[in-house]
């Protein structure tokens, strides 16, 4: 695996490979890699000649400084995992390389409703930061296809939208959420759960799956209330939101009679100081 920390080295290497007619599959990450990330890389390898990953803890997408400081950084371990998965190229820049001047204000993208609901509402500026860094990474790596987990469903919708409105020539490939045996969605933040919290968090996925079964005989507000009570009666969990949204526009669905199909149920739960998100198709 080639490892680069500068934009120039990365671009030179990848432009040469593209000139040879090779296709590039890209998996952008913030490191602290788990099985979910590796599954994205495996898919990228299957569908492209060259697999590229990036590791960059992007400061502009953290609206909370403390969250940025404590985000897990495990670069040595990540490199071993990427090598074991036969990743061809890793781009791991520092903050200076990606943001050489703090004086320049990055251009904002009008995300409309996509940036206003759920995570967009609770984490102001988060998706602008994601768009800024993903656009920069696409400009550097020039991927044919880029792979994103459905676990961050709103991020996936935002990136698909950005690529469409900015005419970026990359195909966005959504990949299914990877789960632990007890249903917990894999996330780099799971390492922060203490043993008691870890024992209780599978209730998040379990509740959503049960809500899916109740989709037949309740109104949406009854279903939302049911989920809220179910989550909040566990002393380790506090519901931030449970929403049913249109899978493309993420428009909140509030006034339709159940059952509904072709939508997404999305949840955010506070577990101590940690926030976990998850979603399922309805
Ligand atoms: O999902 C992530 O890990 C990050 O938001 C991403 C897409 C790598 C951008 O920093």
């Amino acid at each position: 695996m080639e490892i680069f920390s500068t934009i120039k080295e990365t671009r030179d290497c990848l432009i040469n490979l593209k000139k040879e007619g090779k296709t590039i599959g890209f998996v952008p990450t913030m490191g602290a890699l788990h099985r979910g990330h590796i599954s994205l890389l495996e898919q990228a390898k299957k569908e492209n000649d060259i697999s590229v990953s990036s590791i960059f803890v992007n400061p502009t997408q953290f609206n909370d400084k403390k969250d940025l400081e404590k985000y897990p950084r495990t670069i040595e371990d990540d490199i071993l995992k990427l090598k074991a998965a036969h990743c061809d190229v890793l781009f791991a820049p520092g903050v200076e390389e990606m943001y050489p001047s703090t004086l320049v204000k990055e251009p904002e993208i009008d995300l409309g409703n996509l940036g206003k609901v759920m995570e967009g509402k609770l984490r102001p500026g988060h998706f602008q930061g994601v768009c800024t860094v993903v656009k920069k990474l696409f400009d550097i790596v020039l991927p044919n296809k880029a792979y994103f987990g459905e676990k961050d469903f709103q991020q996936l919708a935002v990136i698909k939208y950005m690529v469409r409105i900015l005419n970026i020539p990359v195909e966005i490939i959504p990949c299914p959420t990877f789960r632990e045996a007890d249903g917990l969605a894999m996330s780099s933040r799971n390492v922060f759960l203490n043993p008691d919290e870890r024992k209780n968090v599978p209730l998040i996925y379990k509740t959503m799956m049960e809500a899916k079964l109740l989709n037949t005989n309740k109104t949406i507000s009854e279903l939302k209330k049911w989920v809220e009570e179910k989550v909040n009666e566990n002393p380790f969990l506090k519901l931030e939101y449970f929403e049913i949204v249109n899978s493309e526009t993420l428009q909140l669905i509030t006034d339709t009679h159940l059952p509904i199909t072709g939508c997404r149920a999305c949840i955010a739960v506070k577990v101590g100081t940690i926030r976990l998100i998850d979603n399922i198709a309805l």
Side-chain angles (χ1 to χ4, degrees):
M1 180 171 76
E2 300 266 21
I3 304 178
F4 302 120
S5 59
T6 69
I7 293 171
K8 183 170 174 2
E9 286 169 307
T10 313
R11 205 180 257 151
D12 287 352
C13 164
L14 295 173
I15 282 180
N16 282 334
L17 289 165
K18 284 205 99 164
K19 276 190 192 143
E20 290 169 23
K22 305 261 195 270
T23 58
I24 294 174
F26 179 40
V27 180
T29 82
M30 297 208 296
L33 302 182
H34 50 68
R35 274 292 302 139
H37 293 114
I38 300 303
S39 75
L40 302 184
L41 192 80
E42 283 165 359
Q43 193 165 339
K45 283 191 75 66
K46 251 189 243 149
E47 297 178 358
N48 302 273
D49 300 316
I50 304 292
S51 58
V52 180
S53 186
S54 63
I55 295 181
F56 178 62
V57 182
N58 172 36
T60 64
Q61 70 186 75
F62 286 81
N63 52 321
D64 175 352
K65 263 212 162 106
K66 281 204 189 104
D67 193 25
L68 170 63
E69 277 161 21
K70 71 169 199 220
Y71 198 83
R73 288 162 173 87
T74 56
I75 187 80
E76 303 295 323
D77 196 41
D78 293 343
I79 289 174
L80 291 178
K81 286 179 182 161
L82 289 173
K83 281 185 178 166
H86 306 287
C87 177
D88 297 307
V89 176
L90 168 63
F91 175 49
V95 175
E96 278 288 297
E97 186 70 7
M98 292 299 280
Y99 297 105
S101 169
T102 48
L103 301 175
V104 177
K105 188 152 170 26
E106 303 292 342
E108 294 209 346
I109 297 174
D110 183 357
L111 296 170
N113 178 64
L114 290 178
K116 292 196 183 90
V117 295
M118 302 190 292
E119 295 304 291
K121 189 170 166 189
L122 292 176
R123 301 176 70 188
H126 168 65
F127 288 122
Q128 287 300 334
V130 170
C131 285
T132 300
V133 80
V134 171
K135 166 86 172 62
K136 279 174 184 270
L137 290 167
F138 284 173
D139 287 343
I140 297 163
V141 175
L142 305 173
N144 298 77
K145 294 183 180 180
Y147 297 77
F148 292 88
E150 285 183 337
K151 148 93 176 22
D152 295 306
F153 195 76
Q154 191 166 5
Q155 168 172 283
L156 178 62
V158 162
I159 290 168
K160 281 199 276 191
Y161 178 77
M162 174 183 80
V163 162
R164 203 170 71 236
I165 60 162
L166 299 183
N167 303 310
I168 305 174
V170 56
E171 190 182 343
I172 303 300
I173 312 287
C175 302
T177 302
F178 240 72
R179 298 186 181 278
E180 305 288 353
D182 58 14
L184 174 66
M186 288 192 189
S187 160
S188 304
R189 293 176 197 273
N190 291 352
V191 293
F192 294 128
L193 297 167
N194 71 34
D196 282 331
E197 289 166 344
R198 178 64 190 84
K199 250 183 250 158
N200 284 275
V201 288
L203 185 75
I204 301 170
Y205 180 60
K206 192 166 171 273
T207 304
M208 276 203 301
M209 292 308 278
E210 284 174 21
K212 186 171 173 156
L213 295 178
L214 294 176
N215 181 8
T216 47
N217 57 4
K218 286 200 187 302
T219 65
I220 288 200
S221 42
E222 279 170 350
L223 190 64
K224 287 176 73 166
K225 197 163 179 308
W226 182 86
V227 168
E228 186 178 349
E229 281 170 10
K230 191 95 186 152
V231 170
N232 288 345
E233 73 192 17
N234 182 298
F236 291 92
L237 311 183
K238 176 92 185 73
L239 185 78
E240 282 203 338
Y241 62 76
F242 171 75
E243 298 288 0
I244 295 174
V245 298
N246 175 294
S247 302
E248 289 298 317
T249 62
L250 303 192
Q251 208 74 48
L252 304 185
I253 300 171
T254 50
D255 55 359
T256 316
H257 288 293
L258 296 172
I260 45 172
T261 51
C263 298
R264 210 83 192 175
C266 300
I267 197 166
V269 176
K270 222 52 212 277
V271 190
T273 55
I274 303 150
R275 288 184 80 241
L276 296 180
I277 57 171
D278 201 348
N279 65 85
I280 57 167
L282 284 186

